[in-house]
Amino acid sequence: MSEHSFRVSFENAQFYNLLEEGNPHPLEQCVMPMVLVKPDGVDMIGTAFTIAPHLMMTARHVVEEFLEHKAKLLKGTFQAGLLYLSDEIPEGMPPDSRLGGILSVTFMSCNESTDLALINVDVPLIDGTPLRTPALSLRADPPPVGLPCFAVGSVTRVEVTDYENGQVTVRRELPASRGIVLAHHPTGFVPGSPLYGFPCFDVAALYAHGMSGGPILGSDLMGYSSEVFGVVSHGRDGVDGEEPLGRGAYVFSALALETPVYDSATATTKQMTLWELAQAGGLTITGLDRVSFDPATRELTVPFPS
């Protein structure tokens, strides 16, 4: 996976036409559906996205549902992990025919203080070269109320055509839902709603089923950059006269989560928090200077915009 990250402007929220050109949009390569592929079909669990080599981020409830589905299938035959598409089209095939496969999950990290999770994946070799995908830049400080933003999720239709030979037909849809940050809930208390139990924020947007775990990106307006500041946690359809409402988990609440990191100098693997990994240059997180983190106690202090 690429060590380089990229930014996405607010104006690029719609990019379906890029598929027609046969050149996948970077978001299509790093935002992936979490799936369980079975002989009789595919369970679509949610969305995850790449933030560093071998490392992805998603929502905690997506991981919990993934493990629940996986536990039910332990006695059967299945493939579980993240479904990726390659960046090249096989010669002589239509523009929407790109090869892909399953990235198996090797490690998951989450806790009850946030609806975020980290996922380590096993990266396959493509013609002797490790699979490379873009990585999204992260933003640690909370966004200002009123910030235009958009969320991306992997709503994918999959058909198993020949399970024994690994033939699966994928029809990718990657919707981007525009919205505006409405309110912050630093303690998890949302007036008129059940206690969420973790810091969250509201967005005036409609989040479709399957978008859970997808990135919420800011715009380049209001002096705020276009990195990922949140992850899709919950969505409410506009019913009975109510406006659609989305809810996200802040990226900063994942800073205390640990992930295994290979140290080539000592040929050993050690556990590092996301904060430590960012400090070591292992991934891109802006706004860390606005967040206080105590590695010993794992306590976070975050100033919220007024």
Side-chain angles (χ1 to χ4, degrees):
M1 293 187 183
S2 173
E3 297 180 1
H4 302 289
S5 56
F6 70 98
R7 296 182 180 182
V8 180
S9 69
F10 180 64
E11 289 72 21
N12 283 341
Q14 306 296 337
F15 43 80
Y16 305 105
N17 61 326
L18 293 179
L19 302 181
E20 299 174 2
E21 303 299 326
N23 298 313
H25 189 282
L27 280 176
E28 189 193 4
Q29 294 178 276
C30 67
V31 178
M32 307 180 195
M34 179 172 277
V35 299
L36 291 172
V37 181
K38 305 172 294 181
D40 60 345
V42 178
D43 290 339
M44 308 298 299
I45 309 299
T47 299
F49 56 97
T50 306
I51 60 175
H54 300 266
L55 185 61
M56 306 187 77
M57 182 176 285
T58 186
R60 184 190 75 195
H61 74 269
V62 170
V63 164
E64 292 173 342
E65 185 176 349
F66 175 79
L67 294 175
E68 181 180 343
H69 280 244
K70 190 174 179 179
K72 295 178 181 178
L73 299 172
L74 283 180
K75 296 181 179 180
T77 302
F78 65 94
Q79 299 178 63
L82 286 304
L83 184 65
Y84 75 91
L85 296 182
S86 70
D87 59 357
E88 295 182 358
I89 300 173
E91 185 176 353
M93 297 295 288
D96 61 350
S97 300
R98 287 193 299 279
L99 299 177
I102 298 290
L103 301 181
S104 60
V105 176
T106 60
F107 185 84
M108 295 181 176
S109 174
C110 59
N111 60 44
E112 296 183 354
S113 65
T114 177
D115 191 26
L116 293 185
L118 299 179
I119 300 175
N120 289 79
V121 295
D122 186 15
V123 177
L125 296 178
I126 309 297
D127 294 329
T129 303
L131 174 73
R132 296 171 64 86
T133 71
L136 283 169
S137 301
L138 303 179
R139 179 94 184 204
D141 52 327
V145 171
L147 177 74
C149 58
F150 69 96
V152 181
S154 194
V155 182
T156 305
R157 291 172 292 168
V158 182
E159 176 187 357
V160 179
T161 54
D162 187 346
Y163 185 85
E164 294 298 326
N165 295 314
Q167 295 181 9
V168 177
T169 300
V170 180
R171 296 288 180 264
R172 285 291 298 271
E173 295 180 11
L174 201 62
S177 178
R178 295 176 184 262
I180 295 177
V181 177
L182 291 180
H184 294 289
H185 307 294
T187 64
F189 174 74
V190 182
S193 300
L195 180 65
Y196 236 59
F198 58 86
C200 58
F201 59 92
D202 291 339
V203 179
L206 176 63
Y207 293 157
H209 177 71
M211 291 181 67
S212 288
I216 304 176
L217 302 99
S219 71
D220 284 324
L221 304 176
M222 300 176 66
Y224 196 86
S225 300
S226 58
E227 297 93 350
V228 177
F229 64 82
V231 172
V232 175
S233 176
H234 176 73
R236 183 190 71 194
D237 295 339
V239 295
D240 298 329
E242 294 183 328
E243 293 294 327
L245 181 70
R247 187 154 291 150
Y250 301 102
V251 160
F252 70 73
S253 57
L255 293 175
L257 296 181
E258 290 187 337
T259 181
V261 177
Y262 179 74
D263 185 349
S264 58
T266 61
T268 58
T269 299
K270 59 182 179 180
Q271 295 290 117
M272 296 180 69
T273 64
L274 198 64
W275 170 279
E276 293 168 334
L277 186 59
Q279 297 290 346
L283 76 162
T284 304
I285 305 180
T286 60
L288 282 178
D289 56 333
R290 303 180 186 92
V291 177
S292 175
F293 177 69
D294 186 336
T297 62
R298 306 293 172 87
E299 290 186 1
L300 278 166
T301 303
V302 182
F304 279 80
S306 56

PDB file of all heavy atoms in Angstrom, residues 41-68:
ATOM      1  N   GLY A  41     -23.755 -16.798  -1.383  1.00  0.00           N
ATOM      2  CA  GLY A  41     -23.979 -15.359  -1.410  1.00  0.00           C
ATOM      3  C   GLY A  41     -22.930 -14.596  -0.627  1.00  0.00           C
ATOM      4  O   GLY A  41     -21.927 -15.155  -0.169  1.00  0.00           O
ATOM      5  N   VAL A  42     -23.179 -13.301  -0.462  1.00  0.00           N
ATOM      6  CA  VAL A  42     -22.226 -12.415   0.189  1.00  0.00           C
ATOM      7  C   VAL A  42     -22.935 -11.583   1.250  1.00  0.00           C
ATOM      8  O   VAL A  42     -23.992 -11.004   0.992  1.00  0.00           O
ATOM      9  CB  VAL A  42     -21.556 -11.466  -0.829  1.00  0.00           C
ATOM     10  CG1 VAL A  42     -20.600 -10.510  -0.132  1.00  0.00           C
ATOM     11  CG2 VAL A  42     -20.823 -12.275  -1.888  1.00  0.00           C
ATOM     12  N   ASP A  43     -22.385 -11.548   2.453  1.00  0.00           N
ATOM     13  CA  ASP A  43     -22.875 -10.667   3.510  1.00  0.00           C
ATOM     14  C   ASP A  43     -22.085  -9.371   3.456  1.00  0.00           C
ATOM     15  O   ASP A  43     -20.852  -9.365   3.621  1.00  0.00           O
ATOM     16  CB  ASP A  43     -22.706 -11.311   4.889  1.00  0.00           C
ATOM     17  CG  ASP A  43     -23.644 -12.489   5.102  1.00  0.00           C
ATOM     18  OD1 ASP A  43     -24.667 -12.558   4.398  1.00  0.00           O
ATOM     19  OD2 ASP A  43     -23.351 -13.331   5.974  1.00  0.00           O
ATOM     20  N   MET A  44     -22.767  -8.267   3.207  1.00  0.00           N
ATOM     21  CA  MET A  44     -22.132  -6.952   3.211  1.00  0.00           C
ATOM     22  C   MET A  44     -22.236  -6.386   4.624  1.00  0.00           C
ATOM     23  O   MET A  44     -23.345  -6.186   5.136  1.00  0.00           O
ATOM     24  CB  MET A  44     -22.812  -6.028   2.207  1.00  0.00           C
ATOM     25  CG  MET A  44     -22.925  -6.617   0.802  1.00  0.00           C
ATOM     26  SD  MET A  44     -21.329  -6.963   0.057  1.00  0.00           S
ATOM     27  CE  MET A  44     -20.634  -5.321   0.037  1.00  0.00           C
ATOM     28  N   ILE A  45     -21.119  -6.128   5.270  1.00  0.00           N
ATOM     29  CA  ILE A  45     -21.121  -5.719   6.666  1.00  0.00           C
ATOM     30  C   ILE A  45     -21.049  -4.199   6.830  1.00  0.00           C
ATOM     31  O   ILE A  45     -21.775  -3.606   7.615  1.00  0.00           O
ATOM     32  CB  ILE A  45     -19.950  -6.371   7.433  1.00  0.00           C
ATOM     33  CG1 ILE A  45     -19.942  -7.881   7.183  1.00  0.00           C
ATOM     34  CG2 ILE A  45     -20.052  -6.056   8.908  1.00  0.00           C
ATOM     35  CD1 ILE A  45     -21.194  -8.585   7.639  1.00  0.00           C
ATOM     36  N   GLY A  46     -20.164  -3.561   6.113  1.00  0.00           N
ATOM     37  CA  GLY A  46     -19.971  -2.118   6.260  1.00  0.00           C
ATOM     38  C   GLY A  46     -18.816  -1.654   5.400  1.00  0.00           C
ATOM     39  O   GLY A  46     -18.456  -2.299   4.409  1.00  0.00           O
ATOM     40  N   THR A  47     -18.207  -0.552   5.795  1.00  0.00           N
ATOM     41  CA  THR A  47     -17.145   0.079   5.008  1.00  0.00           C
ATOM     42  C   THR A  47     -15.915   0.301   5.866  1.00  0.00           C
ATOM     43  O   THR A  47     -16.018   0.505   7.072  1.00  0.00           O
ATOM     44  CB  THR A  47     -17.645   1.436   4.447  1.00  0.00           C
ATOM     45  OG1 THR A  47     -18.770   1.209   3.606  1.00  0.00           O
ATOM     46  CG2 THR A  47     -16.567   2.151   3.650  1.00  0.00           C
ATOM     47  N   ALA A  48     -14.745   0.255   5.247  1.00  0.00           N
ATOM     48  CA  ALA A  48     -13.481   0.612   5.893  1.00  0.00           C
ATOM     49  C   ALA A  48     -12.635   1.366   4.874  1.00  0.00           C
ATOM     50  O   ALA A  48     -12.908   1.312   3.679  1.00  0.00           O
ATOM     51  CB  ALA A  48     -12.745  -0.624   6.404  1.00  0.00           C
ATOM     52  N   PHE A  49     -11.608   2.072   5.357  1.00  0.00           N
ATOM     53  CA  PHE A  49     -10.769   2.833   4.433  1.00  0.00           C
ATOM     54  C   PHE A  49      -9.319   2.820   4.896  1.00  0.00           C
ATOM     55  O   PHE A  49      -9.021   2.747   6.099  1.00  0.00           O
ATOM     56  CB  PHE A  49     -11.267   4.276   4.275  1.00  0.00           C
ATOM     57  CG  PHE A  49     -11.375   5.053   5.561  1.00  0.00           C
ATOM     58  CD1 PHE A  49     -10.359   5.908   5.961  1.00  0.00           C
ATOM     59  CD2 PHE A  49     -12.499   4.952   6.356  1.00  0.00           C
ATOM     60  CE1 PHE A  49     -10.458   6.636   7.141  1.00  0.00           C
ATOM     61  CE2 PHE A  49     -12.619   5.675   7.540  1.00  0.00           C
ATOM     62  CZ  PHE A  49     -11.590   6.526   7.928  1.00  0.00           C
ATOM     63  N   THR A  50      -8.401   2.878   3.932  1.00  0.00           N
ATOM     64  CA  THR A  50      -6.967   2.788   4.201  1.00  0.00           C
ATOM     65  C   THR A  50      -6.445   4.101   4.779  1.00  0.00           C
ATOM     66  O   THR A  50      -6.749   5.179   4.263  1.00  0.00           O
ATOM     67  CB  THR A  50      -6.203   2.473   2.908  1.00  0.00           C
ATOM     68  OG1 THR A  50      -6.752   1.311   2.307  1.00  0.00           O
ATOM     69  CG2 THR A  50      -4.725   2.251   3.197  1.00  0.00           C
ATOM     70  N   ILE A  51      -5.625   4.011   5.834  1.00  0.00           N
ATOM     71  CA  ILE A  51      -4.996   5.201   6.405  1.00  0.00           C
ATOM     72  C   ILE A  51      -3.468   5.081   6.429  1.00  0.00           C
ATOM     73  O   ILE A  51      -2.773   6.080   6.635  1.00  0.00           O
ATOM     74  CB  ILE A  51      -5.518   5.493   7.837  1.00  0.00           C
ATOM     75  CG1 ILE A  51      -5.234   4.318   8.772  1.00  0.00           C
ATOM     76  CG2 ILE A  51      -7.007   5.801   7.802  1.00  0.00           C
ATOM     77  CD1 ILE A  51      -5.611   4.592  10.230  1.00  0.00           C
ATOM     78  N   ALA A  52      -2.939   3.879   6.228  1.00  0.00           N
ATOM     79  CA  ALA A  52      -1.489   3.635   6.206  1.00  0.00           C
ATOM     80  C   ALA A  52      -1.271   2.240   5.633  1.00  0.00           C
ATOM     81  O   ALA A  52      -2.223   1.461   5.510  1.00  0.00           O
ATOM     82  CB  ALA A  52      -0.894   3.740   7.618  1.00  0.00           C
ATOM     83  N   PRO A  53      -0.030   1.905   5.255  1.00  0.00           N
ATOM     84  CA  PRO A  53       0.224   0.549   4.757  1.00  0.00           C
ATOM     85  C   PRO A  53      -0.274  -0.525   5.720  1.00  0.00           C
ATOM     86  O   PRO A  53       0.042  -0.474   6.912  1.00  0.00           O
ATOM     87  CB  PRO A  53       1.753   0.515   4.621  1.00  0.00           C
ATOM     88  CG  PRO A  53       2.133   1.936   4.361  1.00  0.00           C
ATOM     89  CD  PRO A  53       1.181   2.746   5.193  1.00  0.00           C
ATOM     90  N   HIS A  54      -1.078  -1.454   5.228  1.00  0.00           N
ATOM     91  CA  HIS A  54      -1.634  -2.560   6.008  1.00  0.00           C
ATOM     92  C   HIS A  54      -2.677  -2.122   7.030  1.00  0.00           C
ATOM     93  O   HIS A  54      -3.201  -2.973   7.759  1.00  0.00           O
ATOM     94  CB  HIS A  54      -0.531  -3.340   6.750  1.00  0.00           C
ATOM     95  CG  HIS A  54       0.495  -3.952   5.874  1.00  0.00           C
ATOM     96  ND1 HIS A  54       0.415  -5.247   5.417  1.00  0.00           N
ATOM     97  CD2 HIS A  54       1.635  -3.440   5.341  1.00  0.00           C
ATOM     98  CE1 HIS A  54       1.459  -5.518   4.652  1.00  0.00           C
ATOM     99  NE2 HIS A  54       2.218  -4.433   4.583  1.00  0.00           N
ATOM    100  N   LEU A  55      -2.985  -0.840   7.150  1.00  0.00           N
ATOM    101  CA  LEU A  55      -3.834  -0.351   8.238  1.00  0.00           C
ATOM    102  C   LEU A  55      -5.062   0.368   7.702  1.00  0.00           C
ATOM    103  O   LEU A  55      -4.954   1.242   6.842  1.00  0.00           O
ATOM    104  CB  LEU A  55      -3.032   0.583   9.146  1.00  0.00           C
ATOM    105  CG  LEU A  55      -3.743   1.102  10.407  1.00  0.00           C
ATOM    106  CD1 LEU A  55      -4.130  -0.068  11.321  1.00  0.00           C
ATOM    107  CD2 LEU A  55      -2.826   2.078  11.149  1.00  0.00           C
ATOM    108  N   MET A  56      -6.239   0.002   8.244  1.00  0.00           N
ATOM    109  CA  MET A  56      -7.500   0.601   7.835  1.00  0.00           C
ATOM    110  C   MET A  56      -8.285   1.043   9.056  1.00  0.00           C
ATOM    111  O   MET A  56      -8.031   0.589  10.176  1.00  0.00           O
ATOM    112  CB  MET A  56      -8.326  -0.389   7.006  1.00  0.00           C
ATOM    113  CG  MET A  56      -7.562  -0.965   5.815  1.00  0.00           C
ATOM    114  SD  MET A  56      -8.584  -1.977   4.725  1.00  0.00           S
ATOM    115  CE  MET A  56      -9.467  -0.676   3.838  1.00  0.00           C
ATOM    116  N   MET A  57      -9.250   1.935   8.836  1.00  0.00           N
ATOM    117  CA  MET A  57     -10.112   2.437   9.901  1.00  0.00           C
ATOM    118  C   MET A  57     -11.556   2.174   9.520  1.00  0.00           C
ATOM    119  O   MET A  57     -11.928   2.209   8.347  1.00  0.00           O
ATOM    120  CB  MET A  57      -9.879   3.935  10.123  1.00  0.00           C
ATOM    121  CG  MET A  57     -10.717   4.544  11.255  1.00  0.00           C
ATOM    122  SD  MET A  57     -10.323   6.311  11.554  1.00  0.00           S
ATOM    123  CE  MET A  57      -8.731   6.123  12.408  1.00  0.00           C
ATOM    124  N   THR A  58     -12.387   1.886  10.527  1.00  0.00           N
ATOM    125  CA  THR A  58     -13.806   1.663  10.309  1.00  0.00           C
ATOM    126  C   THR A  58     -14.546   1.991  11.604  1.00  0.00           C
ATOM    127  O   THR A  58     -13.962   2.537  12.542  1.00  0.00           O
ATOM    128  CB  THR A  58     -14.071   0.215   9.870  1.00  0.00           C
ATOM    129  OG1 THR A  58     -15.449   0.068   9.521  1.00  0.00           O
ATOM    130  CG2 THR A  58     -13.727  -0.783  10.969  1.00  0.00           C
ATOM    131  N   ALA A  59     -15.832   1.671  11.658  1.00  0.00           N
ATOM    132  CA  ALA A  59     -16.611   1.865  12.882  1.00  0.00           C
ATOM    133  C   ALA A  59     -16.539   0.603  13.740  1.00  0.00           C
ATOM    134  O   ALA A  59     -16.486  -0.520  13.220  1.00  0.00           O
ATOM    135  CB  ALA A  59     -18.066   2.183  12.538  1.00  0.00           C
ATOM    136  N   ARG A  60     -16.571   0.802  15.049  1.00  0.00           N
ATOM    137  CA  ARG A  60     -16.497  -0.352  15.949  1.00  0.00           C
ATOM    138  C   ARG A  60     -17.672  -1.297  15.735  1.00  0.00           C
ATOM    139  O   ARG A  60     -17.512  -2.534  15.743  1.00  0.00           O
ATOM    140  CB  ARG A  60     -16.481   0.117  17.410  1.00  0.00           C
ATOM    141  CG  ARG A  60     -16.314  -1.015  18.431  1.00  0.00           C
ATOM    142  CD  ARG A  60     -16.543  -0.530  19.848  1.00  0.00           C
ATOM    143  NE  ARG A  60     -17.972  -0.330  20.091  1.00  0.00           N
ATOM    144  CZ  ARG A  60     -18.473   0.339  21.119  1.00  0.00           C
ATOM    145  NH1 ARG A  60     -17.673   0.921  21.976  1.00  0.00           N
ATOM    146  NH2 ARG A  60     -19.778   0.462  21.279  1.00  0.00           N
ATOM    147  N   HIS A  61     -18.866  -0.755  15.528  1.00  0.00           N
ATOM    148  CA  HIS A  61     -20.025  -1.630  15.383  1.00  0.00           C
ATOM    149  C   HIS A  61     -19.955  -2.444  14.092  1.00  0.00           C
ATOM    150  O   HIS A  61     -20.556  -3.521  14.000  1.00  0.00           O
ATOM    151  CB  HIS A  61     -21.332  -0.829  15.468  1.00  0.00           C
ATOM    152  CG  HIS A  61     -21.661  -0.009  14.257  1.00  0.00           C
ATOM    153  ND1 HIS A  61     -21.260   1.298  14.111  1.00  0.00           N
ATOM    154  CD2 HIS A  61     -22.355  -0.305  13.128  1.00  0.00           C
ATOM    155  CE1 HIS A  61     -21.708   1.773  12.957  1.00  0.00           C
ATOM    156  NE2 HIS A  61     -22.366   0.820  12.345  1.00  0.00           N
ATOM    157  N   VAL A  62     -19.207  -1.973  13.092  1.00  0.00           N
ATOM    158  CA  VAL A  62     -18.993  -2.751  11.881  1.00  0.00           C
ATOM    159  C   VAL A  62     -18.116  -3.969  12.196  1.00  0.00           C
ATOM    160  O   VAL A  62     -18.399  -5.092  11.756  1.00  0.00           O
ATOM    161  CB  VAL A  62     -18.347  -1.887  10.777  1.00  0.00           C
ATOM    162  CG1 VAL A  62     -17.887  -2.751   9.598  1.00  0.00           C
ATOM    163  CG2 VAL A  62     -19.324  -0.824  10.289  1.00  0.00           C
ATOM    164  N   VAL A  63     -17.054  -3.743  12.972  1.00  0.00           N
ATOM    165  CA  VAL A  63     -16.180  -4.850  13.385  1.00  0.00           C
ATOM    166  C   VAL A  63     -16.949  -5.864  14.218  1.00  0.00           C
ATOM    167  O   VAL A  63     -16.814  -7.082  14.033  1.00  0.00           O
ATOM    168  CB  VAL A  63     -14.977  -4.304  14.180  1.00  0.00           C
ATOM    169  CG1 VAL A  63     -14.278  -5.422  14.946  1.00  0.00           C
ATOM    170  CG2 VAL A  63     -13.988  -3.627  13.249  1.00  0.00           C
ATOM    171  N   GLU A  64     -17.783  -5.374  15.140  1.00  0.00           N
ATOM    172  CA  GLU A  64     -18.548  -6.287  15.988  1.00  0.00           C
ATOM    173  C   GLU A  64     -19.520  -7.124  15.163  1.00  0.00           C
ATOM    174  O   GLU A  64     -19.681  -8.329  15.401  1.00  0.00           O
ATOM    175  CB  GLU A  64     -19.294  -5.482  17.051  1.00  0.00           C
ATOM    176  CG  GLU A  64     -18.371  -4.840  18.075  1.00  0.00           C
ATOM    177  CD  GLU A  64     -19.089  -3.915  19.031  1.00  0.00           C
ATOM    178  OE1 GLU A  64     -20.229  -3.491  18.708  1.00  0.00           O
ATOM    179  OE2 GLU A  64     -18.520  -3.596  20.088  1.00  0.00           O
ATOM    180  N   GLU A  65     -20.166  -6.505  14.182  1.00  0.00           N
ATOM    181  CA  GLU A  65     -21.079  -7.248  13.317  1.00  0.00           C
ATOM    182  C   GLU A  65     -20.313  -8.242  12.447  1.00  0.00           C
ATOM    183  O   GLU A  65     -20.768  -9.366  12.216  1.00  0.00           O
ATOM    184  CB  GLU A  65     -21.882  -6.287  12.439  1.00  0.00           C
ATOM    185  CG  GLU A  65     -22.948  -6.988  11.602  1.00  0.00           C
ATOM    186  CD  GLU A  65     -23.794  -6.020  10.803  1.00  0.00           C
ATOM    187  OE1 GLU A  65     -23.701  -4.792  11.049  1.00  0.00           O
ATOM    188  OE2 GLU A  65     -24.547  -6.492   9.927  1.00  0.00           O
ATOM    189  N   PHE A  66     -19.136  -7.832  11.990  1.00  0.00           N
ATOM    190  CA  PHE A  66     -18.282  -8.707  11.189  1.00  0.00           C
ATOM    191  C   PHE A  66     -17.923  -9.968  11.985  1.00  0.00           C
ATOM    192  O   PHE A  66     -18.027 -11.090  11.474  1.00  0.00           O
ATOM    193  CB  PHE A  66     -17.020  -7.948  10.784  1.00  0.00           C
ATOM    194  CG  PHE A  66     -15.991  -8.755  10.048  1.00  0.00           C
ATOM    195  CD1 PHE A  66     -16.134  -9.038   8.695  1.00  0.00           C
ATOM    196  CD2 PHE A  66     -14.867  -9.237  10.697  1.00  0.00           C
ATOM    197  CE1 PHE A  66     -15.185  -9.785   8.014  1.00  0.00           C
ATOM    198  CE2 PHE A  66     -13.907  -9.970  10.036  1.00  0.00           C
ATOM    199  CZ  PHE A  66     -14.074 -10.248   8.682  1.00  0.00           C
ATOM    200  N   LEU A  67     -17.498  -9.784  13.229  1.00  0.00           N
ATOM    201  CA  LEU A  67     -17.119 -10.920  14.065  1.00  0.00           C
ATOM    202  C   LEU A  67     -18.327 -11.799  14.386  1.00  0.00           C
ATOM    203  O   LEU A  67     -18.211 -13.031  14.466  1.00  0.00           O
ATOM    204  CB  LEU A  67     -16.466 -10.425  15.358  1.00  0.00           C
ATOM    205  CG  LEU A  67     -15.116  -9.720  15.192  1.00  0.00           C
ATOM    206  CD1 LEU A  67     -14.636  -9.170  16.534  1.00  0.00           C
ATOM    207  CD2 LEU A  67     -14.080 -10.662  14.603  1.00  0.00           C
ATOM    208  N   GLU A  68     -19.483 -11.177  14.568  1.00  0.00           N
ATOM    209  CA  GLU A  68     -20.704 -11.937  14.852  1.00  0.00           C
ATOM    210  C   GLU A  68     -21.082 -12.810  13.661  1.00  0.00           C
ATOM    211  O   GLU A  68     -21.400 -13.996  13.821  1.00  0.00           O
ATOM    212  CB  GLU A  68     -21.842 -10.974  15.183  1.00  0.00           C
ATOM    213  CG  GLU A  68     -23.164 -11.664  15.515  1.00  0.00           C
ATOM    214  CD  GLU A  68     -24.265 -10.680  15.843  1.00  0.00           C
ATOM    215  OE1 GLU A  68     -23.952  -9.501  16.135  1.00  0.00           O
ATOM    216  OE2 GLU A  68     -25.439 -11.083  15.792  1.00  0.00           O
TER     217      GLU A  68
END
